[in-house]
Amino acid sequence: MEQNHLTNTDYRQYDRVWQRVAPDLEPYPGWQAPAASTSGPQAAPPTAPMQPAQSSAPTVPAVRMQPAQPAVPSMPAMPTVPAVPVTTPVGQLPGAIQDPCCMGSQAADMLGVITGFVEEELVDRAYFRALSRQAPVWARQTLRELSETAAEHAKRLMSAYYLITGQCYRPQGVSGPVYIQGWCQALRERYHTKACDGLNYARAADGTTDICLREMLTELSQESYQQARVLMGMLQKTL
């Protein structure tokens, strides 16, 4: 009992000294005050807050997991096939058919008619060009267009001739200058020529069994009748 009293007395002396030296600091952190003695109550030093105990196990860093990628099946290697040259006889190529279904032997009996149409269209071309140079100003452009249409008809007919025979047709054309007697008389003559061309094209289309040649001749007939109507309109404007 005496020993405890001395110990408490010594601590109180240290407390008084510590309060003078460093009044803001605790002299004995974590010290628990003994039970109160008969000499009077004594304030116990404040107890420092307890820190959470730290585990001694090593810290493992967090690992970020990547989403699993679907497995892609590997494609088997394709076997290499050596190139084999294809040799087709020349006579069996598509462009060398002996008897094609269009513009073939069924159209061969129309060769004389086709060449006659070529020469007729070239004559119309020459007359329309000559007439455009002597016509009134308002009619010149229309006559030039009629001349170009006649030239286009001749080229279409020569293309059909080549498809049927495999050879180019050499037209005779018009040799020498073309004389125009009079404006109205020239329109009358060209009208009858183009109307007759339309009729002759329609007759030739009915006389062939080649479906492609029939279609082409039918189109030429319709266009020739259209040219005849244009010439009639020009004549009506003149009279």
Side-chain angles (χ1 to χ4, degrees):
M1 187 68 182
E2 182 180 0
Q3 184 178 358
N4 292 338
H5 178 71
L6 294 175
T7 303
N8 292 338
T9 303
D10 296 338
Y11 277 113
R12 287 193 296 268
Q13 294 176 359
Y14 296 150
D15 290 342
R16 288 192 295 269
V17 174
W18 190 270
Q19 289 295 329
R20 291 194 301 269
V21 175
D24 296 334
L25 299 179
E26 296 181 5
Y28 312 110
W31 176 77
Q32 296 290 338
S37 62
T38 56
S39 59
Q42 178 68 30
T47 304
M50 299 297 292
Q51 298 293 332
Q54 297 182 356
S55 176
S56 60
T59 303
V60 179
V63 179
R64 184 177 181 180
M65 301 299 293
Q66 297 292 336
Q69 298 293 334
V72 179
S74 59
M75 298 298 295
M78 298 298 294
T80 303
V81 180
V84 179
V86 179
T87 56
T88 304
V90 177
Q92 298 181 8
L93 294 176
I97 299 177
Q98 298 298 328
D99 191 8
C101 59
C102 263
M103 300 294 183
S105 60
Q106 295 181 353
D109 56 347
M110 299 290 292
L111 291 176
V113 177
I114 292 174
T115 56
F117 282 140
V118 171
E119 299 296 341
E120 181 67 26
E121 293 290 350
L122 293 178
V123 170
D124 290 342
R125 173 178 177 270
Y127 268 93
F128 283 133
R129 291 182 62 183
L131 190 58
S132 65
R133 292 190 290 266
Q134 303 178 23
V137 178
W138 58 267
R140 293 178 182 177
Q141 179 61 32
T142 302
L143 291 171
R144 284 192 290 265
E145 292 176 356
L146 292 175
S147 175
E148 294 175 358
T149 302
E152 191 272 333
H153 286 180
K155 291 180 180 179
R156 198 186 310 181
L157 290 165
M158 287 189 290
S159 298
Y161 184 92
Y162 181 82
L163 290 174
I164 298 171
T165 64
Q167 299 176 358
C168 295
Y169 175 72
R170 304 300 179 184
Q172 298 177 3
V174 179
S175 59
V178 178
Y179 296 98
I180 305 299
Q181 296 180 358
W183 169 242
C184 291
Q185 181 63 27
L187 290 179
R188 178 176 180 270
E189 180 183 351
R190 289 299 99 196
Y191 168 81
H192 286 297
T193 300
K194 298 312 298 182
C196 290
D197 287 345
L199 178 60
N200 292 331
Y201 279 129
R203 289 176 176 176
D206 294 337
T208 180
T209 57
D210 189 290
I211 185 172
C212 297
L213 181 60
R214 181 188 305 168
E215 180 181 4
M216 187 192 71
L217 293 174
T218 301
E219 292 177 355
L220 292 176
S221 174
Q222 296 173 355
E223 293 176 6
S224 296
Y225 279 127
Q226 177 61 30
Q227 288 180 311
R229 287 190 289 269
V230 171
L231 292 169
M232 178 180 287
M234 297 174 67
L235 184 60
Q236 291 174 351
K237 189 174 182 180
T238 303
L239 296 177

